[in-house]
Amino acid sequence: MDLGADEFEQSLPLLQKLLREADFVGLDIEFTGLRSNLSGLQQISLFDLPSDWYLKTRQSIQQFTICQIGLSVFSSIEGESNISLDKDQIKVVINEVTRWLDLAEEGDQMTLPGIAGFQAFEVQLVLRQALPNIWTVLRDRGVIVKKVSQQHRWYLEHASGDRDSCWKEQILLSARGFSVFFQMLVQAQKPLVGHNMMMDLLHLHEKFFRPLPESYDQFKQNIHNLFPVLIDTKNVTKDIWKELHFPRVSNLLEVYEVLNSNLNPTKDSAPVIVHGNKCEKYAKKKCPHEAGYDAFLCGSVLLKVAHLLLQRVHGHVPTSEPSFPQYLDVLAPYVNQVNLIRAGVPKINFSGPDFPSIRPPILILTVRKWPGVSEQQVYGEFQNLCKFDVRRLTQSQFLLLTNKFKDVRSVLKEYRCHPTLQVSLYRYWRHSPNVNCMLQVCSVVAAWALLGFLLGRSSP
């Protein structure tokens, strides 16, 4: 559903109702100036621990501007889907009010009980459009319908007091913007689903909750309190993709298309996704990098992957339609594990300590006969073979780190007999300058102690 600023206020009751009944919510945020801002960051590398990555990225967040926020609400349905009164019910209400109008006099009123939230908004809108000689208001006991003259109706619609009140509410709402819905999202405590969603979480915290704390651990705790169930489809699909022999993909849309193709053995038994009324745009056309469309893709990918995992657990496709709690059970190993791009670990755990690194081993490069060599020159030396992050260790030694084990094997083989560049596996106790310095100091102290001992024994 695409909402302009003037539609947002009217949609709040609907959004609140949707969230209350949702199984989970798909999220995507689009930013402006992404490439230029990333180029201005301190260099983020595979050597960084999650806390280092966070501190470097935190400095850039205020420079980004959010241009789109996409939310896609997924709910289990039985039979036909409708977030509101169906056409037959609306027709009954209109007929009931029309019959009452035939006998009512100007000033008389009737009550439509048991209608609240978005239904109340929808009923009032339909009645006012259909019947020019009525006015409606919402009260605790239901929707009140009052018979009025057309002149009085015009006055009610254009009354200065009513306009002023509406303008004030609209201005206040405009100032609060998405933070209104952010509070609803937090209060609903529904699972939040994204794809490579770390930057999305940073922006949600910074723009709609509080400025990002200096402490990485405090940031993790805040996010977990706001959204206790996070699922990153990038993390899930990356884990199972090779095992299922799916072709390599580079973005969310390609992931969705593979799962929606005949390559997916559970394609035909997976849940059918039905778009809500007035939300059929994404059923008809692809809109990659439009936040609403990508949020829809996130939720769709989650359901299809969860269905695949459920089949693996049972060894066959369940005969009865699975429920979302069943999907959550098989997704449990991935809950609150958010993918991390270019860091010492591949993901962040928002509900506990981060997992140890599973990156390939660090290599150490010793350079001979290349005075003044820089990190950039070392990077250029290897880039045609594979890509390494480079960090200087000493004047003539550099650390090399990649996220592919095959790159480590290729470089060790290719440079085994190189005349000026010696590459080997890095061993902390052998290669660390700090350890070497400490060993040298200990050696000097031991030598002096031994010398003193020997001189002491030789003196008369």
Side-chain angles (χ1 to χ4, degrees), residues 8-23:
F8 186 63
E9 180 180 7
Q10 293 180 338
S11 301
L12 287 180
L14 167 61
L15 295 174
Q16 201 162 24
K17 181 176 185 292
L18 285 173
L19 280 178
R20 189 169 59 248
E21 298 174 353
D23 287 316

mmCIF file of all heavy atoms in Angstrom, residues 8-23:
data_model
loop_
_atom_site.group_PDB
_atom_site.id
_atom_site.type_symbol
_atom_site.label_atom_id
_atom_site.label_comp_id
_atom_site.label_asym_id
_atom_site.label_seq_id
_atom_site.Cartn_x
_atom_site.Cartn_y
_atom_site.Cartn_z
ATOM 1 N N PHE A 8 -1.786 9.181 5.437
ATOM 2 C CA PHE A 8 -1.186 8.431 6.542
ATOM 3 C C PHE A 8 -2.088 8.416 7.770
ATOM 4 O O PHE A 8 -2.306 7.375 8.389
ATOM 5 C CB PHE A 8 0.169 9.040 6.885
ATOM 6 C CG PHE A 8 0.938 8.258 7.909
ATOM 7 C CD1 PHE A 8 1.349 6.970 7.633
ATOM 8 C CD2 PHE A 8 1.242 8.813 9.138
ATOM 9 C CE1 PHE A 8 2.057 6.238 8.556
ATOM 10 C CE2 PHE A 8 1.954 8.088 10.072
ATOM 11 C CZ PHE A 8 2.361 6.811 9.784
ATOM 12 N N GLU A 9 -2.653 9.602 8.124
ATOM 13 C CA GLU A 9 -3.476 9.681 9.325
ATOM 14 C C GLU A 9 -4.698 8.779 9.217
ATOM 15 O O GLU A 9 -5.046 8.060 10.150
ATOM 16 C CB GLU A 9 -3.933 11.131 9.561
ATOM 17 C CG GLU A 9 -4.808 11.292 10.802
ATOM 18 C CD GLU A 9 -5.238 12.719 11.015
ATOM 19 O OE1 GLU A 9 -4.981 13.563 10.154
ATOM 20 O OE2 GLU A 9 -5.847 12.988 12.060
ATOM 21 N N GLN A 10 -5.347 8.803 8.047
ATOM 22 C CA GLN A 10 -6.539 7.979 7.868
ATOM 23 C C GLN A 10 -6.213 6.490 7.907
ATOM 24 O O GLN A 10 -7.073 5.672 8.226
ATOM 25 C CB GLN A 10 -7.202 8.321 6.524
ATOM 26 C CG GLN A 10 -7.777 9.732 6.483
ATOM 27 C CD GLN A 10 -8.424 10.039 5.138
ATOM 28 O OE1 GLN A 10 -8.112 9.406 4.139
ATOM 29 N NE2 GLN A 10 -9.327 10.997 5.118
ATOM 30 N N SER A 11 -4.964 6.147 7.593
ATOM 31 C CA SER A 11 -4.590 4.742 7.526
ATOM 32 C C SER A 11 -4.144 4.167 8.863
ATOM 33 O O SER A 11 -3.973 2.959 8.976
ATOM 34 C CB SER A 11 -3.443 4.560 6.518
ATOM 35 O OG SER A 11 -3.829 5.000 5.251
ATOM 36 N N LEU A 12 -3.943 5.010 9.867
ATOM 37 C CA LEU A 12 -3.432 4.509 11.136
ATOM 38 C C LEU A 12 -4.297 3.406 11.755
ATOM 39 O O LEU A 12 -3.761 2.399 12.223
ATOM 40 C CB LEU A 12 -3.245 5.663 12.129
ATOM 41 C CG LEU A 12 -2.059 6.584 11.836
ATOM 42 C CD1 LEU A 12 -1.982 7.688 12.882
ATOM 43 C CD2 LEU A 12 -0.763 5.811 11.804
ATOM 44 N N PRO A 13 -5.632 3.574 11.795
ATOM 45 C CA PRO A 13 -6.439 2.478 12.351
ATOM 46 C C PRO A 13 -6.253 1.170 11.589
ATOM 47 O O PRO A 13 -6.188 0.093 12.184
ATOM 48 C CB PRO A 13 -7.877 2.993 12.233
ATOM 49 C CG PRO A 13 -7.747 4.476 12.182
ATOM 50 C CD PRO A 13 -6.478 4.737 11.438
ATOM 51 N N LEU A 14 -6.148 1.268 10.254
ATOM 52 C CA LEU A 14 -5.930 0.061 9.444
ATOM 53 C C LEU A 14 -4.576 -0.563 9.771
ATOM 54 O O LEU A 14 -4.460 -1.772 9.973
ATOM 55 C CB LEU A 14 -5.996 0.415 7.959
ATOM 56 C CG LEU A 14 -5.493 -0.654 6.980
ATOM 57 C CD1 LEU A 14 -6.314 -1.918 7.112
ATOM 58 C CD2 LEU A 14 -5.495 -0.145 5.563
ATOM 59 N N LEU A 15 -3.542 0.264 9.841
ATOM 60 C CA LEU A 15 -2.207 -0.249 10.121
ATOM 61 C C LEU A 15 -2.150 -0.915 11.484
ATOM 62 O O LEU A 15 -1.525 -1.958 11.657
ATOM 63 C CB LEU A 15 -1.191 0.893 10.046
ATOM 64 C CG LEU A 15 -1.021 1.540 8.666
ATOM 65 C CD1 LEU A 15 -0.109 2.746 8.753
ATOM 66 C CD2 LEU A 15 -0.488 0.549 7.650
ATOM 67 N N GLN A 16 -2.828 -0.295 12.451
ATOM 68 C CA GLN A 16 -2.840 -0.866 13.799
ATOM 69 C C GLN A 16 -3.532 -2.224 13.806
ATOM 70 O O GLN A 16 -3.066 -3.183 14.439
ATOM 71 C CB GLN A 16 -3.551 0.099 14.751
ATOM 72 C CG GLN A 16 -3.205 -0.127 16.211
ATOM 73 C CD GLN A 16 -3.569 1.075 17.052
ATOM 74 O OE1 GLN A 16 -4.424 1.872 16.702
ATOM 75 N NE2 GLN A 16 -2.923 1.211 18.195
ATOM 76 N N LYS A 17 -4.632 -2.310 13.087
ATOM 77 C CA LYS A 17 -5.367 -3.577 13.007
ATOM 78 C C LYS A 17 -4.534 -4.645 12.281
ATOM 79 O O LYS A 17 -4.471 -5.800 12.713
ATOM 80 C CB LYS A 17 -6.678 -3.352 12.266
ATOM 81 C CG LYS A 17 -7.560 -4.599 12.130
ATOM 82 C CD LYS A 17 -8.873 -4.243 11.457
ATOM 83 C CE LYS A 17 -9.816 -5.443 11.417
ATOM 84 N NZ LYS A 17 -9.349 -6.518 10.544
ATOM 85 N N LEU A 18 -3.863 -4.238 11.204
ATOM 86 C CA LEU A 18 -3.035 -5.185 10.461
ATOM 87 C C LEU A 18 -1.911 -5.747 11.336
ATOM 88 O O LEU A 18 -1.640 -6.947 11.330
ATOM 89 C CB LEU A 18 -2.426 -4.493 9.244
ATOM 90 C CG LEU A 18 -3.351 -4.225 8.050
ATOM 91 C CD1 LEU A 18 -2.628 -3.390 7.012
ATOM 92 C CD2 LEU A 18 -3.836 -5.529 7.431
ATOM 93 N N LEU A 19 -1.269 -4.871 12.075
ATOM 94 C CA LEU A 19 -0.172 -5.317 12.936
ATOM 95 C C LEU A 19 -0.667 -6.252 14.029
ATOM 96 O O LEU A 19 -0.007 -7.229 14.383
ATOM 97 C CB LEU A 19 0.526 -4.114 13.566
ATOM 98 C CG LEU A 19 1.535 -3.390 12.685
ATOM 99 C CD1 LEU A 19 2.116 -2.199 13.420
ATOM 100 C CD2 LEU A 19 2.652 -4.327 12.268
ATOM 101 N N ARG A 20 -1.821 -5.939 14.581
ATOM 102 C CA ARG A 20 -2.361 -6.768 15.666
ATOM 103 C C ARG A 20 -2.624 -8.187 15.181
ATOM 104 O O ARG A 20 -2.438 -9.159 15.925
ATOM 105 C CB ARG A 20 -3.641 -6.118 16.204
ATOM 106 C CG ARG A 20 -4.183 -6.765 17.466
ATOM 107 C CD ARG A 20 -5.272 -5.917 18.100
ATOM 108 N NE ARG A 20 -6.401 -5.690 17.211
ATOM 109 C CZ ARG A 20 -6.714 -4.500 16.691
ATOM 110 N NH1 ARG A 20 -5.969 -3.438 16.962
ATOM 111 N NH2 ARG A 20 -7.754 -4.369 15.894
ATOM 112 N N GLU A 21 -3.038 -8.338 13.944
ATOM 113 C CA GLU A 21 -3.407 -9.651 13.411
ATOM 114 C C GLU A 21 -2.268 -10.319 12.626
ATOM 115 O O GLU A 21 -2.424 -11.438 12.137
ATOM 116 C CB GLU A 21 -4.632 -9.504 12.509
ATOM 117 C CG GLU A 21 -5.873 -8.976 13.245
ATOM 118 C CD GLU A 21 -7.033 -8.709 12.308
ATOM 119 O OE1 GLU A 21 -6.831 -8.810 11.076
ATOM 120 O OE2 GLU A 21 -8.129 -8.386 12.802
ATOM 121 N N ALA A 22 -1.113 -9.647 12.511
ATOM 122 C CA ALA A 22 -0.028 -10.142 11.654
ATOM 123 C C ALA A 22 0.706 -11.324 12.267
ATOM 124 O O ALA A 22 0.779 -11.468 13.489
ATOM 125 C CB ALA A 22 0.952 -9.017 11.379
ATOM 126 N N ASP A 23 1.270 -12.162 11.398
ATOM 127 C CA ASP A 23 2.212 -13.192 11.823
ATOM 128 C C ASP A 23 3.620 -12.612 11.903
ATOM 129 O O ASP A 23 4.372 -12.901 12.822
ATOM 130 C CB ASP A 23 2.205 -14.375 10.849
ATOM 131 C CG ASP A 23 0.935 -15.210 10.975
ATOM 132 O OD1 ASP A 23 0.529 -15.475 12.116
ATOM 133 O OD2 ASP A 23 0.360 -15.566 9.938
#
